[in-house]
Amino acid sequence: MTAQTDNAAECVLLVETDVLARFPLADYLRECGYKVLEASTTDEAVSLLNEPSLPVSVALIDARAAGAISGFALAHRIRGERPGIDVVLAGSTADAVDSASEICADGPALAKPYERTQVLDLIKRLRAARDRQS
Amino acid sequence: MFVERGVLAAETGKAVDEASEPLVLLVEDEPLIRLATADALRFSGFRVVEAANGDEAVALLRSGVRPHIVFTDVRMPGETDGLTLLSFVAENAPFARVFVTSAHLTPDEAARAGLFIQKPYPAERVAEMFKAAIRENDSTN
């Protein structure tokens, strides 16, 4: 269905509370060759991030994800504690208006609903930029 | 031979799945258990849809996801525990075989659980059980 890529080692943490948005995106990224960790809440995301055997490369986080901390707070924490992980915040236009300064400060943002090819392109660009830096 | 395709309509309302792998709806609220089980099932040739609780599983089934197997924990947060999900599947997705798992069941739960797999379970053995169940379904249909 989708061309496999050479990114089998890349691990994407997808933090999305809406299962009907999370599942098709996770399925698509797997078809593209990524290992995808699904988290329905920020609490689940923290559990997965604390597992040392899971080398997360990219964290795609819904700004409105449920959990003890917000999606914004999770993104901020990852950037502070895990600089090797590329973080992408996703949200609606309303989220962006509500929290424009946070999005601007926190780098790449993605509009919801997810456009799968756009997500894939963004992940590829982030990892390519990371490779160039290293 | 797995004859029924998973129909995944969650995003667009139309069928998006053209794969022939048997589909498992995995319902587990502990993310590390869910991940380990999903990984093992994928390695064994299944396509896996992950639900973090029973409510998510109901939403997926209502959206048009048609799993061959539903594999659910019993005690989960939300309005739909595993045994409630079992009843929902029986009424709304009778094509799916349901396997229930838990570390411990009360006698009342055990009486309602049907196909039960004790936690902790070897995921590879679970995959074999699912394949056998699908073969059985195929041979009777």
PDB file of all heavy atoms in Angstrom, chain A residues 19-53:
ATOM      1  N   VAL A  19      -8.759   7.987  19.887  1.00  0.00           N
ATOM      2  CA  VAL A  19      -8.319   6.740  19.247  1.00  0.00           C
ATOM      3  C   VAL A  19      -8.625   6.725  17.754  1.00  0.00           C
ATOM      4  O   VAL A  19      -7.898   6.102  16.973  1.00  0.00           O
ATOM      5  CB  VAL A  19      -8.943   5.515  19.952  1.00  0.00           C
ATOM      6  CG1 VAL A  19     -10.444   5.437  19.726  1.00  0.00           C
ATOM      7  CG2 VAL A  19      -8.267   4.233  19.519  1.00  0.00           C
ATOM      8  N   LEU A  20      -9.673   7.412  17.337  1.00  0.00           N
ATOM      9  CA  LEU A  20     -10.027   7.412  15.919  1.00  0.00           C
ATOM     10  C   LEU A  20      -9.085   8.301  15.102  1.00  0.00           C
ATOM     11  O   LEU A  20      -9.064   8.211  13.869  1.00  0.00           O
ATOM     12  CB  LEU A  20     -11.481   7.854  15.735  1.00  0.00           C
ATOM     13  CG  LEU A  20     -12.517   6.963  16.420  1.00  0.00           C
ATOM     14  CD1 LEU A  20     -13.931   7.428  16.078  1.00  0.00           C
ATOM     15  CD2 LEU A  20     -12.327   5.502  16.035  1.00  0.00           C
ATOM     16  N   ALA A  21      -8.338   9.144  15.771  1.00  0.00           N
ATOM     17  CA  ALA A  21      -7.263   9.894  15.104  1.00  0.00           C
ATOM     18  C   ALA A  21      -5.934   9.168  15.263  1.00  0.00           C
ATOM     19  O   ALA A  21      -5.106   9.170  14.348  1.00  0.00           O
ATOM     20  CB  ALA A  21      -7.169  11.301  15.689  1.00  0.00           C
ATOM     21  N   ARG A  22      -5.729   8.553  16.422  1.00  0.00           N
ATOM     22  CA  ARG A  22      -4.447   7.911  16.708  1.00  0.00           C
ATOM     23  C   ARG A  22      -4.215   6.666  15.853  1.00  0.00           C
ATOM     24  O   ARG A  22      -3.143   6.487  15.274  1.00  0.00           O
ATOM     25  CB  ARG A  22      -4.403   7.532  18.196  1.00  0.00           C
ATOM     26  CG  ARG A  22      -3.045   7.009  18.674  1.00  0.00           C
ATOM     27  CD  ARG A  22      -3.064   6.663  20.154  1.00  0.00           C
ATOM     28  NE  ARG A  22      -3.807   5.440  20.423  1.00  0.00           N
ATOM     29  CZ  ARG A  22      -4.847   5.352  21.257  1.00  0.00           C
ATOM     30  NH1 ARG A  22      -5.277   6.406  21.919  1.00  0.00           N
ATOM     31  NH2 ARG A  22      -5.468   4.204  21.439  1.00  0.00           N
ATOM     32  N   PHE A  23      -5.254   5.826  15.816  1.00  0.00           N
ATOM     33  CA  PHE A  23      -5.060   4.531  15.164  1.00  0.00           C
ATOM     34  C   PHE A  23      -4.695   4.641  13.674  1.00  0.00           C
ATOM     35  O   PHE A  23      -3.723   4.031  13.231  1.00  0.00           O
ATOM     36  CB  PHE A  23      -6.294   3.655  15.373  1.00  0.00           C
ATOM     37  CG  PHE A  23      -6.482   2.635  14.310  1.00  0.00           C
ATOM     38  CD1 PHE A  23      -5.521   1.674  14.089  1.00  0.00           C
ATOM     39  CD2 PHE A  23      -7.596   2.657  13.503  1.00  0.00           C
ATOM     40  CE1 PHE A  23      -5.678   0.744  13.084  1.00  0.00           C
ATOM     41  CE2 PHE A  23      -7.754   1.750  12.498  1.00  0.00           C
ATOM     42  CZ  PHE A  23      -6.782   0.784  12.290  1.00  0.00           C
ATOM     43  N   PRO A  24      -5.429   5.405  12.872  1.00  0.00           N
ATOM     44  CA  PRO A  24      -5.056   5.428  11.451  1.00  0.00           C
ATOM     45  C   PRO A  24      -3.685   6.035  11.202  1.00  0.00           C
ATOM     46  O   PRO A  24      -2.966   5.599  10.289  1.00  0.00           O
ATOM     47  CB  PRO A  24      -6.159   6.265  10.787  1.00  0.00           C
ATOM     48  CG  PRO A  24      -7.037   6.742  11.844  1.00  0.00           C
ATOM     49  CD  PRO A  24      -6.634   6.174  13.159  1.00  0.00           C
ATOM     50  N   LEU A  25      -3.307   7.024  12.014  1.00  0.00           N
ATOM     51  CA  LEU A  25      -1.985   7.626  11.835  1.00  0.00           C
ATOM     52  C   LEU A  25      -0.896   6.640  12.240  1.00  0.00           C
ATOM     53  O   LEU A  25       0.120   6.493  11.535  1.00  0.00           O
ATOM     54  CB  LEU A  25      -1.882   8.918  12.655  1.00  0.00           C
ATOM     55  CG  LEU A  25      -0.554   9.658  12.539  1.00  0.00           C
ATOM     56  CD1 LEU A  25      -0.249  10.020  11.082  1.00  0.00           C
ATOM     57  CD2 LEU A  25      -0.568  10.929  13.403  1.00  0.00           C
ATOM     58  N   ALA A  26      -1.103   5.946  13.347  1.00  0.00           N
ATOM     59  CA  ALA A  26      -0.122   4.938  13.774  1.00  0.00           C
ATOM     60  C   ALA A  26       0.006   3.844  12.725  1.00  0.00           C
ATOM     61  O   ALA A  26       1.116   3.411  12.387  1.00  0.00           O
ATOM     62  CB  ALA A  26      -0.542   4.342  15.120  1.00  0.00           C
ATOM     63  N   ASP A  27      -1.110   3.421  12.201  1.00  0.00           N
ATOM     64  CA  ASP A  27      -1.115   2.361  11.191  1.00  0.00           C
ATOM     65  C   ASP A  27      -0.335   2.818   9.947  1.00  0.00           C
ATOM     66  O   ASP A  27       0.468   2.060   9.387  1.00  0.00           O
ATOM     67  CB  ASP A  27      -2.571   2.055  10.820  1.00  0.00           C
ATOM     68  CG  ASP A  27      -2.776   0.613  10.400  1.00  0.00           C
ATOM     69  OD1 ASP A  27      -2.184  -0.280  11.026  1.00  0.00           O
ATOM     70  OD2 ASP A  27      -3.534   0.389   9.438  1.00  0.00           O
ATOM     71  N   TYR A  28      -0.572   4.044   9.553  1.00  0.00           N
ATOM     72  CA  TYR A  28       0.103   4.578   8.364  1.00  0.00           C
ATOM     73  C   TYR A  28       1.614   4.657   8.587  1.00  0.00           C
ATOM     74  O   TYR A  28       2.402   4.250   7.720  1.00  0.00           O
ATOM     75  CB  TYR A  28      -0.462   5.962   8.053  1.00  0.00           C
ATOM     76  CG  TYR A  28       0.246   6.671   6.929  1.00  0.00           C
ATOM     77  CD1 TYR A  28       0.061   6.281   5.608  1.00  0.00           C
ATOM     78  CD2 TYR A  28       1.102   7.741   7.186  1.00  0.00           C
ATOM     79  CE1 TYR A  28       0.721   6.932   4.571  1.00  0.00           C
ATOM     80  CE2 TYR A  28       1.760   8.398   6.164  1.00  0.00           C
ATOM     81  CZ  TYR A  28       1.564   7.990   4.859  1.00  0.00           C
ATOM     82  OH  TYR A  28       2.221   8.638   3.842  1.00  0.00           O
ATOM     83  N   LEU A  29       2.017   5.178   9.737  1.00  0.00           N
ATOM     84  CA  LEU A  29       3.456   5.305   9.998  1.00  0.00           C
ATOM     85  C   LEU A  29       4.122   3.931  10.069  1.00  0.00           C
ATOM     86  O   LEU A  29       5.260   3.767   9.629  1.00  0.00           O
ATOM     87  CB  LEU A  29       3.690   6.093  11.294  1.00  0.00           C
ATOM     88  CG  LEU A  29       3.297   7.573  11.228  1.00  0.00           C
ATOM     89  CD1 LEU A  29       3.448   8.232  12.605  1.00  0.00           C
ATOM     90  CD2 LEU A  29       4.128   8.321  10.193  1.00  0.00           C
ATOM     91  N   ARG A  30       3.418   2.934  10.603  1.00  0.00           N
ATOM     92  CA  ARG A  30       3.977   1.568  10.608  1.00  0.00           C
ATOM     93  C   ARG A  30       4.158   1.062   9.178  1.00  0.00           C
ATOM     94  O   ARG A  30       5.158   0.432   8.856  1.00  0.00           O
ATOM     95  CB  ARG A  30       3.078   0.620  11.395  1.00  0.00           C
ATOM     96  CG  ARG A  30       3.156   0.831  12.887  1.00  0.00           C
ATOM     97  CD  ARG A  30       2.451  -0.272  13.667  1.00  0.00           C
ATOM     98  NE  ARG A  30       2.400   0.112  15.081  1.00  0.00           N
ATOM     99  CZ  ARG A  30       1.329   0.599  15.689  1.00  0.00           C
ATOM    100  NH1 ARG A  30       0.194   0.715  15.031  1.00  0.00           N
ATOM    101  NH2 ARG A  30       1.384   0.965  16.956  1.00  0.00           N
ATOM    102  N   GLU A  31       3.170   1.329   8.352  1.00  0.00           N
ATOM    103  CA  GLU A  31       3.291   0.906   6.954  1.00  0.00           C
ATOM    104  C   GLU A  31       4.480   1.576   6.284  1.00  0.00           C
ATOM    105  O   GLU A  31       5.070   1.024   5.347  1.00  0.00           O
ATOM    106  CB  GLU A  31       2.014   1.250   6.183  1.00  0.00           C
ATOM    107  CG  GLU A  31       0.836   0.382   6.554  1.00  0.00           C
ATOM    108  CD  GLU A  31      -0.457   0.928   5.996  1.00  0.00           C
ATOM    109  OE1 GLU A  31      -0.418   1.920   5.249  1.00  0.00           O
ATOM    110  OE2 GLU A  31      -1.520   0.372   6.320  1.00  0.00           O
ATOM    111  N   CYS A  32       4.837   2.743   6.759  1.00  0.00           N
ATOM    112  CA  CYS A  32       5.981   3.470   6.209  1.00  0.00           C
ATOM    113  C   CYS A  32       7.291   3.021   6.842  1.00  0.00           C
ATOM    114  O   CYS A  32       8.341   3.587   6.537  1.00  0.00           O
ATOM    115  CB  CYS A  32       5.791   4.968   6.405  1.00  0.00           C
ATOM    116  SG  CYS A  32       4.415   5.646   5.465  1.00  0.00           S
ATOM    117  N   GLY A  33       7.235   2.064   7.729  1.00  0.00           N
ATOM    118  CA  GLY A  33       8.459   1.472   8.251  1.00  0.00           C
ATOM    119  C   GLY A  33       8.869   1.919   9.637  1.00  0.00           C
ATOM    120  O   GLY A  33       9.901   1.476  10.140  1.00  0.00           O
ATOM    121  N   TYR A  34       8.100   2.784  10.259  1.00  0.00           N
ATOM    122  CA  TYR A  34       8.447   3.243  11.598  1.00  0.00           C
ATOM    123  C   TYR A  34       7.914   2.279  12.661  1.00  0.00           C
ATOM    124  O   TYR A  34       6.881   1.641  12.466  1.00  0.00           O
ATOM    125  CB  TYR A  34       7.860   4.630  11.869  1.00  0.00           C
ATOM    126  CG  TYR A  34       8.489   5.713  11.042  1.00  0.00           C
ATOM    127  CD1 TYR A  34       7.950   6.062   9.803  1.00  0.00           C
ATOM    128  CD2 TYR A  34       9.625   6.379  11.476  1.00  0.00           C
ATOM    129  CE1 TYR A  34       8.527   7.053   9.022  1.00  0.00           C
ATOM    130  CE2 TYR A  34      10.210   7.368  10.707  1.00  0.00           C
ATOM    131  CZ  TYR A  34       9.657   7.696   9.485  1.00  0.00           C
ATOM    132  OH  TYR A  34      10.240   8.671   8.715  1.00  0.00           O
ATOM    133  N   LYS A  35       8.625   2.230  13.776  1.00  0.00           N
ATOM    134  CA  LYS A  35       8.070   1.605  14.969  1.00  0.00           C
ATOM    135  C   LYS A  35       7.278   2.686  15.688  1.00  0.00           C
ATOM    136  O   LYS A  35       7.796   3.777  15.932  1.00  0.00           O
ATOM    137  CB  LYS A  35       9.168   1.067  15.883  1.00  0.00           C
ATOM    138  CG  LYS A  35       8.634   0.409  17.151  1.00  0.00           C
ATOM    139  CD  LYS A  35       9.758  -0.215  17.970  1.00  0.00           C
ATOM    140  CE  LYS A  35       9.233  -0.809  19.272  1.00  0.00           C
ATOM    141  NZ  LYS A  35       8.254  -1.886  19.057  1.00  0.00           N
ATOM    142  N   VAL A  36       6.038   2.416  16.013  1.00  0.00           N
ATOM    143  CA  VAL A  36       5.175   3.424  16.613  1.00  0.00           C
ATOM    144  C   VAL A  36       4.735   2.976  18.001  1.00  0.00           C
ATOM    145  O   VAL A  36       4.203   1.871  18.168  1.00  0.00           O
ATOM    146  CB  VAL A  36       3.933   3.697  15.738  1.00  0.00           C
ATOM    147  CG1 VAL A  36       3.067   4.785  16.372  1.00  0.00           C
ATOM    148  CG2 VAL A  36       4.349   4.108  14.329  1.00  0.00           C
ATOM    149  N   LEU A  37       4.961   3.831  18.979  1.00  0.00           N
ATOM    150  CA  LEU A  37       4.471   3.598  20.332  1.00  0.00           C
ATOM    151  C   LEU A  37       3.231   4.457  20.513  1.00  0.00           C
ATOM    152  O   LEU A  37       3.304   5.681  20.390  1.00  0.00           O
ATOM    153  CB  LEU A  37       5.528   3.987  21.373  1.00  0.00           C
ATOM    154  CG  LEU A  37       6.961   3.499  21.149  1.00  0.00           C
ATOM    155  CD1 LEU A  37       7.858   4.005  22.281  1.00  0.00           C
ATOM    156  CD2 LEU A  37       6.994   1.980  21.057  1.00  0.00           C
ATOM    157  N   GLU A  38       2.119   3.824  20.832  1.00  0.00           N
ATOM    158  CA  GLU A  38       0.882   4.575  20.982  1.00  0.00           C
ATOM    159  C   GLU A  38       0.628   4.880  22.451  1.00  0.00           C
ATOM    160  O   GLU A  38       0.636   3.967  23.289  1.00  0.00           O
ATOM    161  CB  GLU A  38      -0.293   3.777  20.425  1.00  0.00           C
ATOM    162  CG  GLU A  38      -0.208   3.525  18.932  1.00  0.00           C
ATOM    163  CD  GLU A  38      -1.453   2.842  18.393  1.00  0.00           C
ATOM    164  OE1 GLU A  38      -2.563   3.258  18.770  1.00  0.00           O
ATOM    165  OE2 GLU A  38      -1.302   1.885  17.614  1.00  0.00           O
ATOM    166  N   ALA A  39       0.370   6.150  22.736  1.00  0.00           N
ATOM    167  CA  ALA A  39       0.007   6.564  24.085  1.00  0.00           C
ATOM    168  C   ALA A  39      -1.302   7.323  24.012  1.00  0.00           C
ATOM    169  O   ALA A  39      -1.432   8.265  23.231  1.00  0.00           O
ATOM    170  CB  ALA A  39       1.095   7.438  24.692  1.00  0.00           C
ATOM    171  N   SER A  40      -2.274   6.904  24.820  1.00  0.00           N
ATOM    172  CA  SER A  40      -3.568   7.578  24.787  1.00  0.00           C
ATOM    173  C   SER A  40      -3.601   8.782  25.729  1.00  0.00           C
ATOM    174  O   SER A  40      -4.505   9.600  25.637  1.00  0.00           O
ATOM    175  CB  SER A  40      -4.684   6.597  25.160  1.00  0.00           C
ATOM    176  OG  SER A  40      -4.567   6.206  26.514  1.00  0.00           O
ATOM    177  N   THR A  41      -2.643   8.853  26.618  1.00  0.00           N
ATOM    178  CA  THR A  41      -2.564   9.978  27.569  1.00  0.00           C
ATOM    179  C   THR A  41      -1.096  10.366  27.756  1.00  0.00           C
ATOM    180  O   THR A  41      -0.185   9.595  27.416  1.00  0.00           O
ATOM    181  CB  THR A  41      -3.131   9.590  28.948  1.00  0.00           C
ATOM    182  OG1 THR A  41      -2.301   8.554  29.505  1.00  0.00           O
ATOM    183  CG2 THR A  41      -4.564   9.091  28.862  1.00  0.00           C
ATOM    184  N   THR A  42      -0.893  11.508  28.339  1.00  0.00           N
ATOM    185  CA  THR A  42       0.491  11.906  28.644  1.00  0.00           C
ATOM    186  C   THR A  42       1.084  10.995  29.714  1.00  0.00           C
ATOM    187  O   THR A  42       2.297  10.778  29.731  1.00  0.00           O
ATOM    188  CB  THR A  42       0.554  13.370  29.100  1.00  0.00           C
ATOM    189  OG1 THR A  42      -0.320  13.556  30.224  1.00  0.00           O
ATOM    190  CG2 THR A  42       0.149  14.319  27.977  1.00  0.00           C
ATOM    191  N   ASP A  43       0.253  10.456  30.585  1.00  0.00           N
ATOM    192  CA  ASP A  43       0.759   9.513  31.600  1.00  0.00           C
ATOM    193  C   ASP A  43       1.322   8.259  30.933  1.00  0.00           C
ATOM    194  O   ASP A  43       2.384   7.760  31.322  1.00  0.00           O
ATOM    195  CB  ASP A  43      -0.359   9.124  32.576  1.00  0.00           C
ATOM    196  CG  ASP A  43      -1.005  10.334  33.206  1.00  0.00           C
ATOM    197  OD1 ASP A  43      -0.325  11.064  33.942  1.00  0.00           O
ATOM    198  OD2 ASP A  43      -2.193  10.557  32.932  1.00  0.00           O
ATOM    199  N   GLU A  44       0.587   7.742  29.964  1.00  0.00           N
ATOM    200  CA  GLU A  44       1.100   6.581  29.227  1.00  0.00           C
ATOM    201  C   GLU A  44       2.396   6.939  28.511  1.00  0.00           C
ATOM    202  O   GLU A  44       3.332   6.132  28.458  1.00  0.00           O
ATOM    203  CB  GLU A  44       0.065   6.091  28.205  1.00  0.00           C
ATOM    204  CG  GLU A  44      -1.130   5.385  28.813  1.00  0.00           C
ATOM    205  CD  GLU A  44      -1.926   4.592  27.780  1.00  0.00           C
ATOM    206  OE1 GLU A  44      -1.630   4.685  26.560  1.00  0.00           O
ATOM    207  OE2 GLU A  44      -2.841   3.870  28.194  1.00  0.00           O
ATOM    208  N   ALA A  45       2.443   8.137  27.969  1.00  0.00           N
ATOM    209  CA  ALA A  45       3.663   8.563  27.267  1.00  0.00           C
ATOM    210  C   ALA A  45       4.856   8.574  28.214  1.00  0.00           C
ATOM    211  O   ALA A  45       5.950   8.118  27.864  1.00  0.00           O
ATOM    212  CB  ALA A  45       3.447   9.948  26.660  1.00  0.00           C
ATOM    213  N   VAL A  46       4.646   9.068  29.427  1.00  0.00           N
ATOM    214  CA  VAL A  46       5.741   9.111  30.402  1.00  0.00           C
ATOM    215  C   VAL A  46       6.203   7.692  30.729  1.00  0.00           C
ATOM    216  O   VAL A  46       7.406   7.417  30.818  1.00  0.00           O
ATOM    217  CB  VAL A  46       5.295   9.871  31.670  1.00  0.00           C
ATOM    218  CG1 VAL A  46       6.321   9.713  32.789  1.00  0.00           C
ATOM    219  CG2 VAL A  46       5.084  11.345  31.352  1.00  0.00           C
ATOM    220  N   SER A  47       5.259   6.770  30.890  1.00  0.00           N
ATOM    221  CA  SER A  47       5.631   5.367  31.155  1.00  0.00           C
ATOM    222  C   SER A  47       6.489   4.808  30.028  1.00  0.00           C
ATOM    223  O   SER A  47       7.489   4.127  30.268  1.00  0.00           O
ATOM    224  CB  SER A  47       4.376   4.501  31.308  1.00  0.00           C
ATOM    225  OG  SER A  47       3.668   4.839  32.458  1.00  0.00           O
ATOM    226  N   LEU A  48       6.098   5.085  28.814  1.00  0.00           N
ATOM    227  CA  LEU A  48       6.858   4.565  27.668  1.00  0.00           C
ATOM    228  C   LEU A  48       8.228   5.234  27.572  1.00  0.00           C
ATOM    229  O   LEU A  48       9.233   4.585  27.279  1.00  0.00           O
ATOM    230  CB  LEU A  48       6.057   4.771  26.380  1.00  0.00           C
ATOM    231  CG  LEU A  48       4.777   3.934  26.270  1.00  0.00           C
ATOM    232  CD1 LEU A  48       3.869   4.446  25.154  1.00  0.00           C
ATOM    233  CD2 LEU A  48       5.107   2.459  26.037  1.00  0.00           C
ATOM    234  N   LEU A  49       8.270   6.536  27.835  1.00  0.00           N
ATOM    235  CA  LEU A  49       9.553   7.250  27.772  1.00  0.00           C
ATOM    236  C   LEU A  49      10.516   6.779  28.857  1.00  0.00           C
ATOM    237  O   LEU A  49      11.734   6.846  28.682  1.00  0.00           O
ATOM    238  CB  LEU A  49       9.313   8.757  27.910  1.00  0.00           C
ATOM    239  CG  LEU A  49       8.720   9.443  26.677  1.00  0.00           C
ATOM    240  CD1 LEU A  49       8.160  10.811  27.050  1.00  0.00           C
ATOM    241  CD2 LEU A  49       9.765   9.572  25.573  1.00  0.00           C
ATOM    242  N   ASN A  50       9.964   6.320  29.972  1.00  0.00           N
ATOM    243  CA  ASN A  50      10.818   5.859  31.073  1.00  0.00           C
ATOM    244  C   ASN A  50      11.355   4.447  30.861  1.00  0.00           C
ATOM    245  O   ASN A  50      12.138   3.958  31.668  1.00  0.00           O
ATOM    246  CB  ASN A  50      10.045   5.908  32.392  1.00  0.00           C
ATOM    247  CG  ASN A  50       9.880   7.332  32.895  1.00  0.00           C
ATOM    248  OD1 ASN A  50      10.641   8.224  32.510  1.00  0.00           O
ATOM    249  ND2 ASN A  50       8.881   7.555  33.742  1.00  0.00           N
ATOM    250  N   GLU A  51      10.897   3.802  29.793  1.00  0.00           N
ATOM    251  CA  GLU A  51      11.360   2.454  29.501  1.00  0.00           C
ATOM    252  C   GLU A  51      12.652   2.536  28.674  1.00  0.00           C
ATOM    253  O   GLU A  51      12.619   2.945  27.509  1.00  0.00           O
ATOM    254  CB  GLU A  51      10.273   1.695  28.727  1.00  0.00           C
ATOM    255  CG  GLU A  51      10.661   0.317  28.277  1.00  0.00           C
ATOM    256  CD  GLU A  51      11.114  -0.571  29.419  1.00  0.00           C
ATOM    257  OE1 GLU A  51      10.454  -0.613  30.463  1.00  0.00           O
ATOM    258  OE2 GLU A  51      12.178  -1.222  29.264  1.00  0.00           O
ATOM    259  N   PRO A  52      13.784   2.167  29.260  1.00  0.00           N
ATOM    260  CA  PRO A  52      15.055   2.388  28.553  1.00  0.00           C
ATOM    261  C   PRO A  52      15.223   1.575  27.278  1.00  0.00           C
ATOM    262  O   PRO A  52      16.045   1.926  26.429  1.00  0.00           O
ATOM    263  CB  PRO A  52      16.109   1.985  29.601  1.00  0.00           C
ATOM    264  CG  PRO A  52      15.382   1.195  30.627  1.00  0.00           C
ATOM    265  CD  PRO A  52      13.959   1.633  30.601  1.00  0.00           C
ATOM    266  N   SER A  53      14.453   0.522  27.113  1.00  0.00           N
ATOM    267  CA  SER A  53      14.606  -0.295  25.902  1.00  0.00           C
ATOM    268  C   SER A  53      13.879   0.292  24.704  1.00  0.00           C
ATOM    269  O   SER A  53      13.925  -0.298  23.621  1.00  0.00           O
ATOM    270  CB  SER A  53      14.085  -1.709  26.174  1.00  0.00           C
ATOM    271  OG  SER A  53      12.694  -1.681  26.413  1.00  0.00           O
TER     272      SER A  53
END
